Structure formats: structure tokens, C-alpha cells
Amino acid sequence: MSSKERYYGISERVDVADACDEAVESLKTLGYAIVDGGYSAEELEVFSVAFDAARRAAHRAGGGVDALRLIEEHNTVRLPFYYDARLLQLARNARIQKVVSQILAKYHVLSQQNGVINPAGAKEYNQGAWHRDLPYQHVVFSRPLAINALFCIDEFTETNGATMVLPATHKQEAFPSSHFVAKAAKQIVAPAGSYIVLDCMVYHTGSTNRTMTDRRAVNHVYTSPILRQQIDLPRFLGNNYTRDPELRRLLGYEVATPSSVEEYFAGRRRKLKS
Ligand SMILES: O=C(O)CCC(=O)C(=O)O
């Protein structure tokens, strides 16, 4: 059969000029896309080392793995860039920023950066269950309000628990039936250095890691500035963390809720002056 596309009765078509447009189209229709982060092998090695360093530091800061296990936090590294600044680059990746700007708006905020460990040896973990990244929300948005970008530190394979998605479920309020889940679930295998980008409302889950090596990733959730961050980054990092205006905006320094009428007025004065 000829590979030439054949169609009729079509007078409008989505225009796709580059990899960013392809990702945007896929995100809008299916709710997911794979984006190559564009990093060299040397850079990927740096991220791998930085991830492990952040994991060790976060475990120490959290009182050790056993203490974290009690609250099911031992397979998550909250804000890994706080423990190893090299990981902040992952949140600022130019290709991801372009996709997120196109889907949300140029002004979006980093709500979360989480190191995700899918543990070796088929152990259960907190991301191994169907969920949305805006959990408990049974709504459909006419435009996305939140996008997540899961950076694969390791290759994602069928055997090490690559993420599964239920395509297009960002367009449906309720979690689908077991029949749909069994029929439609799709596993996203991806090379190390890729981002698995999801509409936060598409149902997804990690799957079972049947290898003897942990599968590591770093998840980012970017949101419209009207949504609150998982952890209040400006308060956590302190006002002197960075002077870079673009980074301050991404980290949410411009969206702190005023704590008094006076503070609200001060914000108005700053806004009207600029
Ligand atoms: O570990 C995975 O494959 C999925 C991660 C995930 O669902 C999340 O971080 O929200």
C-alpha cells in the first residue's frame, strides 16, 4: 500500500513546523509527548551523579531512609535542585520551556521538582498507581493549566517500569473503566535524556521495575501562576536565592499572596511603576 496520505472533506489542518510543534500537537490531542532534552552523554552523566548526591543529601536531611519510609517519602526527593544546584538546569531546559510556554503561557511557575525513584526488584512505590498530577480534580479544562515534564535520568524500558499513560483522558472528568484501562494503557519507553511531557490531567502511573537497578527520573510540574506551589519556593529558598528576573518568575517569587492590605497596595505600586 502506498504510504502517501489520502483524505477527503478536510479543509483545515494543524500546522507543524518543528519538534516543539509536534510535541504541542501530541500533548493537546493525546495528553502526552516525548521531547529530547538535547543533552550530551557527558551532561547526562553529570545529572546522574547530581541525582544520587541530591538523593543522599535529602535522605540525610529527612532523618534517614527509615524515617522517610514511614511517610512513604523514601522513593521521592523533594526539590532535588535545592540539594544539588546542577539539577536546576533540568527545570529550565530551553526545549521544555518552549513547549510549556506554548501550551500554558510564557508566564508559568514551577510548582514542583521531584526526584522519582522506581525501586529495583518489583517493589511498590508511591507513583505506581494511576493518578493525575493535579490529584483529586475531576474536571476538564478547555486549555491546560498544568504540564509535567518527567526527565529520564535512566532509559525508560518495558522492564524497568517505564511510565504508563491513558491517552486522551485529560479530556474526560472521571477515571475510566477497567475495560478502557486494560485496552488503552500505553507504556512510554524513552531513552535517557528524554522528557516525558504530560498534560497534568492525563491519567498516568509508573509501572513495575522488574530489574535489579533503580529507575531514576526528575519530575517537573509547571502551572499557571494562579495555582499554588506544592512547596512555597520563595519562602523555602529565601528572597536572596537569585536575582535573575526570569528565574524568580519561574520559581514563583512574583505570585506570593499578600499577607495584608498594605502588602497588596505595595504590590500595586510596584506594578504600576514598572
Ligand atoms: O515514575 C513514573 O514513571 C511516573 C512518575 C509520576 O507519575 C509522577 O511523578 O507524577
Side-chain angles (χ1 to χ4, degrees), residues 139-207:
V139 293
V140 170
F141 302 123
S142 58
R143 290 176 184 214
L145 281 183
I147 293 290
N148 76 323
L150 183 66
F151 180 75
C152 306
I153 297 271
D154 299 307
E155 182 184 11
F156 274 37
T157 67
E158 276 171 28
T159 47
N160 77 358
T163 312
M164 315 269 296
V165 294
L166 295 174
T169 49
H170 58 308
K171 298 180 180 175
Q172 173 173 307
E173 292 174 352
F175 184 61
S177 67
S178 303
H179 174 76
F180 181 92
V181 172
K183 248 178 80 175
K186 182 173 163 69
Q187 192 165 37
I188 309 186
V189 296
S194 317
Y195 287 84
I196 296 172
V197 186
L198 305 178
D199 183 307
C200 274
M201 297 307 279
V202 87
Y203 286 103
H204 63 280
T205 177
S207 55

Side-chain angles (χ1 to χ4, degrees), residues 1-6:
M1 203 169 87
S2 153
S3 63
K4 192 171 178 316
E5 276 180 312
R6 299 177 69 231

Side-chain angles (χ1 to χ4, degrees), residues 6-268:
R6 299 177 69 231
Y7 48 83
Y8 73 93
I10 293 172
S11 53
E12 290 181 13
R13 189 164 204 185
V14 176
D15 216 10
V16 165
D18 57 18
C20 173
D21 289 350
E22 283 171 18
V24 167
E25 181 182 31
S26 181
L27 272 163
K28 284 185 179 168
T29 56
L30 299 172
Y32 69 92
I34 300 175
V35 173
D36 175 6
Y39 295 113
S40 66
E42 290 72 28
E43 288 170 313
L44 294 185
E45 182 54 26
V46 169
F47 291 135
S48 170
V49 169
F51 184 97
D52 291 341
R55 179 183 185 175
R56 283 192 300 273
H59 281 173
R60 270 197 307 277
V65 182
D66 291 336
L68 289 168
R69 194 187 316 274
L70 295 175
I71 51 170
E72 291 183 16
E73 281 287 313
H74 56 302
N75 288 314
T76 308
V77 182
R78 301 285 165 193
L79 300 174
F81 79 81
Y82 175 72
Y83 300 102
D84 194 309
R86 292 174 289 187
L87 297 170
L88 184 58
Q89 282 179 64
L90 295 179
R92 303 187 78 188
N93 179 283
R95 296 178 182 190
I96 292 301
Q97 284 302 313
K98 195 169 168 201
V99 170
V100 175
S101 297
Q102 214 155 304
I103 289 268
L104 295 181
K106 183 132 181 56
Y107 189 1
H108 52 263
V109 167
L110 182 71
S111 168
Q112 312 175 18
Q113 187 194 55
N114 289 321
V116 180
I117 298 142
N118 185 345
K123 292 199 192 87
E124 285 188 359
Y125 76 119
N126 55 351
Q127 296 305 318
W130 292 110
H131 62 281
R132 287 177 154 156
D133 276 358
L134 297 183
Y136 304 101
Q137 304 307 309
H138 290 290
V139 293
V140 170
F141 302 123
S142 58
R143 290 176 184 214
L145 281 183
I147 293 290
N148 76 323
L150 183 66
F151 180 75
C152 306
I153 297 271
D154 299 307
E155 182 184 11
F156 274 37
T157 67
E158 276 171 28
T159 47
N160 77 358
T163 312
M164 315 269 296
V165 294
L166 295 174
T169 49
H170 58 308
K171 298 180 180 175
Q172 173 173 307
E173 292 174 352
F175 184 61
S177 67
S178 303
H179 174 76
F180 181 92
V181 172
K183 248 178 80 175
K186 182 173 163 69
Q187 192 165 37
I188 309 186
V189 296
S194 317
Y195 287 84
I196 296 172
V197 186
L198 305 178
D199 183 307
C200 274
M201 297 307 279
V202 87
Y203 286 103
H204 63 280
T205 177
S207 55
T208 306
N209 179 358
R210 295 189 304 277
T211 72
M212 293 317 289
T213 310
D214 290 347
R215 192 226 65 196
R216 302 162 303 162
V218 180
N219 194 27
H220 303 86
V221 174
Y222 304 94
T223 69
S224 153
I226 63 165
L227 297 184
R228 89 183 153 88
Q229 292 169 307
Q230 184 179 61
I231 292 169
D232 182 338
L233 289 179
R235 271 175 63 199
F236 179 62
L237 300 170
N239 195 37
N240 295 328
Y241 181 74
T242 175
R243 284 173 174 276
D244 175 340
E246 211 171 286
L247 183 56
R248 286 182 75 82
R249 180 173 263 219
L250 179 67
L251 296 178
Y253 281 87
E254 290 178 11
V255 288
T257 305
S259 61
S260 65
V261 176
E262 241 338 287
E263 231 178 83
Y264 177 80
F265 285 166
R268 293 283 303 157

